[in-house]
Amino acid sequence: MTTIRTQLGTVESARRERFEPTGTIEATNVQKAIEELDGTIGDLGGTTQVVTTGTVTVQPTDSFIYINFAGTVAVTMADSSAWLAAHEVATPLTIQDISGNANDTTNMITITRAGVDTINGGTSIEIVSPFGGYKLRPPASGSWAIQ
């Protein structure tokens, strides 16, 4: 069974919260939508890396990169075409500071492209605020865009 945390508190609260049917989900309340998704959530894909050092390379199968490090961190992106091939669903890649230590002086997190890919038209982006982050998705092979 998949565990999904919401701020609704109880199953009964989730049953009272209206849900608009979409795609293959026919439920009309949040609880039923969760029950319909049970067993398919894992298919949304990707692995999670929790980073506790100054460098990390995003793998094509990653969906979440959580930075838990007090210091400068260098993140090297996966090749956009390899990442697209590993992700059938349009889920973004999330890169986020979970330590609260990111800043623009001593604890900058720099996200750099792989090869000749671009990130929002450039070669890199930075996380410079505590708990800051980005959701990125390749709109096409060769580039990453901030969502």
Side-chain angles (χ1 to χ4, degrees):
M1 175 182 211
T2 303
T3 301
I4 299 173
R5 295 185 190 274
T6 70
Q7 293 185 7
L8 295 173
T10 66
V11 169
E12 191 54 43
S13 296
R15 284 192 183 109
R16 286 191 302 263
E17 191 68 29
R18 178 140 175 70
F19 179 85
E20 188 67 33
T22 182
T24 60
I25 302 170
E26 298 174 0
T28 57
N29 69 58
V30 171
Q31 181 61 35
K32 288 293 182 188
I34 291 170
E35 289 170 7
E36 284 185 37
L37 284 172
D38 190 26
T40 63
I41 296 292
D43 296 338
L44 294 178
T47 55
T48 300
Q49 285 195 62
V50 177
V51 180
T52 58
T53 64
T55 61
V56 62
T57 299
V58 177
Q59 300 303 309
T61 55
D62 288 339
S63 287
F64 300 96
I65 305 293
Y66 294 130
I67 313 294
N68 191 15
F69 184 71
T72 301
V73 178
V75 178
T76 303
M77 294 294 287
D79 176 79
S80 60
S81 58
W83 195 89
L84 277 170
H87 295 267
E88 295 178 24
V89 180
T91 56
L93 169 65
T94 299
I95 302 175
Q96 184 165 7
D97 168 38
I98 63 168
S99 70
N101 290 309
N103 62 52
D104 61 357
T105 54
T106 57
N107 296 337
M108 197 175 311
I109 299 169
T110 304
I111 303 165
T112 306
R113 69 182 181 182
V116 296
D117 283 358
T118 60
I119 304 172
N120 249 33
T123 60
S124 66
I125 56 176
E126 296 168 338
I127 299 172
V128 294
S129 60
F131 303 104
Y134 290 104
K135 288 185 184 278
L136 302 161
R137 175 112 176 104
S141 182
S143 65
W144 288 88
I146 297 172
Q147 291 193 322

